[in-house]
Amino acid sequence: MAKRKKIAVLFSGKGSNFAHIVKTLHHEGFEVVVALTNNPNAEGIEIAKTASIPLEVIDPKAYESREAFDAVVVERLQQYSPELTVLAGFMRILTPVFTEQIKSINLHPSLLPRHKGLKAIEKSYEDEHSHGGVSIHYVSSELDGGEVILQKEVSKEGLSFEAYDEKVRSVEKDALVEAIRLTLK
Ligand code: GAR
């Protein structure tokens, strides 16, 4: 059997993208070697437990600077030797301490460079374009600013905000899995 490709997944909340990675890639040519969250109350923690994936919870409150937090994240990740780290709803700005040591990709729910940062789905829905969408990009120390790997468009035509939001959240899951496969080809 071919060797499984090792990935790490970082999340902060619900973890539905993490769950999708587990469902589609884990033990299917890939191995989620560690899941890591900055939120001790993240719902996604249950996903790691159910799938018996090693979990690291690192609470930023325990660290006095972004750099100190990032250094611990880097150290923990390196213990599992992932080939790629996937930010799947990881809601933190990362410093060069992380970005210069960890090869990572991020999912963002807009067509970058439009609508960097928080509330990207809301902002996309309200802008003048007929389409919004999702982007997967390499992580750099510029927020939502690294090189784009792939994007998928989502038409807003005839959709309520709730329907658009649901469509984005469905499209982003397949886009993220596709980007992981592409990146580790
Ligand atoms: C996803 O919609 C993802 O695109 C977004 O957070 C959500 C996490 O959902 N990420 C960002 O906004 C990154 N800036 P999940 O916890 O259910 O996977």
Side-chain angles (χ1 to χ4, degrees), residues 13-18 88-89 91 107-109 117 121 144 169 172:
K14 193 162 169 232
S16 66
N17 284 283
F18 169 37
M91 309 304 266
L107 163 65
H108 187 72
I121 303 180
D144 299 325
R169 287 179 195 271
E172 71 179 9

Side-chain angles (χ1 to χ4, degrees), residues 87-125:
L87 276 55
F90 188 66
M91 309 304 266
R92 260 188 85 81
I93 294 169
L94 293 159
T95 69
V97 170
F98 179 95
T99 57
E100 286 172 7
Q101 296 189 79
I102 301 290
K103 181 184 175 187
S104 62
I105 64 174
N106 180 46
L107 163 65
H108 187 72
S110 75
L111 293 175
L112 291 170
R114 290 182 207 155
H115 310 306
K116 296 179 178 180
L118 295 173
K119 301 222 177 278
I121 303 180
E122 284 90 334
K123 289 181 194 158
S124 299
Y125 185 72

Side-chain angles (χ1 to χ4, degrees), residues 12-31:
S12 296
K14 193 162 169 232
S16 66
N17 284 283
F18 169 37
H20 191 68
I21 290 169
V22 172
K23 191 171 115 192
T24 55
L25 297 179
H26 192 51
H27 295 167
E28 301 289 338
F30 296 81
E31 185 78 33

Side-chain angles (χ1 to χ4, degrees), residues 56-87:
E56 299 283 352
V57 181
I58 306 177
D59 189 343
K61 287 198 204 89
Y63 303 92
E64 63 189 16
S65 66
R66 285 195 181 277
E67 287 77 8
F69 170 85
D70 284 3
V72 175
V73 171
V74 168
E75 183 205 303
R76 297 281 175 87
L77 288 175
Q78 285 175 342
Q79 286 171 10
Y80 299 88
S81 309
E83 287 167 62
L84 182 70
T85 292
V86 180
L87 276 55

